[in-house]
Amino acid sequence: DQGPVESFTATENGARYLLKQDGHVLEIGPRGGEQTRISNTTIPKIFEIMWSRDASKAILKYTEGSNTRTISAEFVATSTKAVVLPQNIISFAFAPDRDRIAYLIPTSNGSRLITANPDNTRQTEIINLSFKDFDIFWPEKNSIYFLSRPSGLSTGFLFKYDLAKESLDKILGDIAGLQVKFSADGQKFVYSAHDAGSLQARVYIYDLKTEKASDLQNTGLAEKCSFAETAKNIIYCAISQNTIPAVYPDAWLKGEA
């Protein structure tokens, strides 16, 4: 009854979610009751959000007039404490311990990766890159990953930057429609790839220790999968029973499938 939800995430008490129309944050119990208002701060036109693991913080992108703004937010009492981040941020991520954030900003010949406290203090430049349009992930302490924006019409790549060794290595490459979803410990990930022959997306699991991939024998998208928090070998995926042939994930992202 409160209107569309922009994003939600699981919490110890149920689920925390953000309303699309005004950016207010609420939390609801696992059975749909016990609703609590977390923040009354109004931030309209939010179109992208990333939650910290405990949902006490978030990074938000929203439009203000003709401009795009990015803020790092912390939910305190019933308000949102926000810090403005650079306007031209390409992508962003939380560290697994929530004490740091990372973001990618463009340069004249590529991009550079910055890490900082959630309030954007103690900034550190980590690496300059020759590519720009990549999503970043920070699933475990010493590893930040770069994923090319997924499209079934082009090949995708996943790179790993080791913060301790200061090395950049390719993990996967030349995979059409590449999407990934990491396990809670950052040791495995589910990935999906577009199959041009069947016009479907297939789902795989990759073990970073063994460097081996296994076919999960299903069609679907990695973004619709999630690793269990307490059981290392259980993955939950939402799989459509009647997936129409199309180019994935493009058709899904456009709302055509």
Side-chain angles (χ1 to χ4, degrees), residues 7-213:
S7 176
F8 69 91
T9 187
T11 65
E12 291 183 357
N13 301 317
R16 184 166 292 189
Y17 60 97
L18 183 144
L19 297 177
K20 191 176 184 69
Q21 61 187 7
D22 53 21
H24 292 181
V25 180
L26 297 94
E27 190 164 284
I28 196 165
R31 298 183 181 276
E34 306 166 9
Q35 182 173 284
T36 304
R37 187 168 290 272
I38 304 298
S39 172
N40 285 319
T41 303
T42 298
I43 308 174
K45 299 183 180 179
I46 294 171
F47 65 89
E48 186 176 351
I49 178 170
M50 176 174 288
W51 301 90
S52 65
R53 186 164 290 178
D54 67 351
S56 65
K57 301 179 181 71
I59 300 175
L60 310 171
K61 265 192 172 184
Y62 64 98
T63 56
E64 187 176 69
S66 60
N67 297 314
T68 298
R69 309 289 188 195
T70 306
I71 60 172
S72 177
E74 181 177 7
F75 306 116
V76 181
T78 56
S79 64
T80 300
K81 182 180 178 182
V83 174
V84 178
L85 297 177
Q87 185 173 338
N88 56 350
I89 283 178
I90 300 168
S91 54
F92 42 78
F94 276 99
D97 61 6
R98 306 179 302 278
D99 289 336
R100 300 282 281 174
I101 61 174
Y103 52 85
L104 199 63
I105 56 177
T107 62
S108 59
N109 57 356
S111 60
R112 59 192 180 110
L113 179 69
I114 305 294
T115 61
N117 288 343
D119 62 1
N120 207 30
T121 59
R122 290 183 58 213
Q123 296 177 27
T124 302
E125 183 173 310
I126 301 300
I127 186 175
N128 279 282
L129 302 162
S130 59
F131 48 75
K132 284 187 179 181
D133 201 17
F134 275 60
D135 291 321
I136 59 174
F137 302 86
W138 198 346
E140 58 95 12
K141 182 179 178 181
N142 288 318
S143 301
I144 295 178
Y145 291 81
F146 301 89
L147 174 69
S148 54
R149 296 287 168 88
S151 171
L153 299 173
S154 61
T155 55
F157 295 84
L158 179 69
F159 296 94
K160 172 185 173 181
Y161 183 77
D162 190 308
L163 291 165
K165 298 178 181 178
E166 298 183 349
S167 61
L168 183 69
D169 298 296
K170 185 176 75 173
I171 304 300
L172 293 175
D174 297 315
I175 298 176
L178 180 63
Q179 284 189 334
V180 301
K181 178 67 75 67
F182 285 90
S183 61
D185 61 6
Q187 299 305 306
K188 296 179 181 179
F189 61 83
V190 173
Y191 74 91
S192 54
H194 177 63
D195 183 338
S198 64
L199 289 179
Q200 299 285 351
R202 297 198 62 81
V203 191
Y204 305 82
I205 184 168
Y206 188 91
D207 190 313
L208 286 156
K209 287 185 177 180
T210 63
E211 299 182 353
K212 292 183 179 180

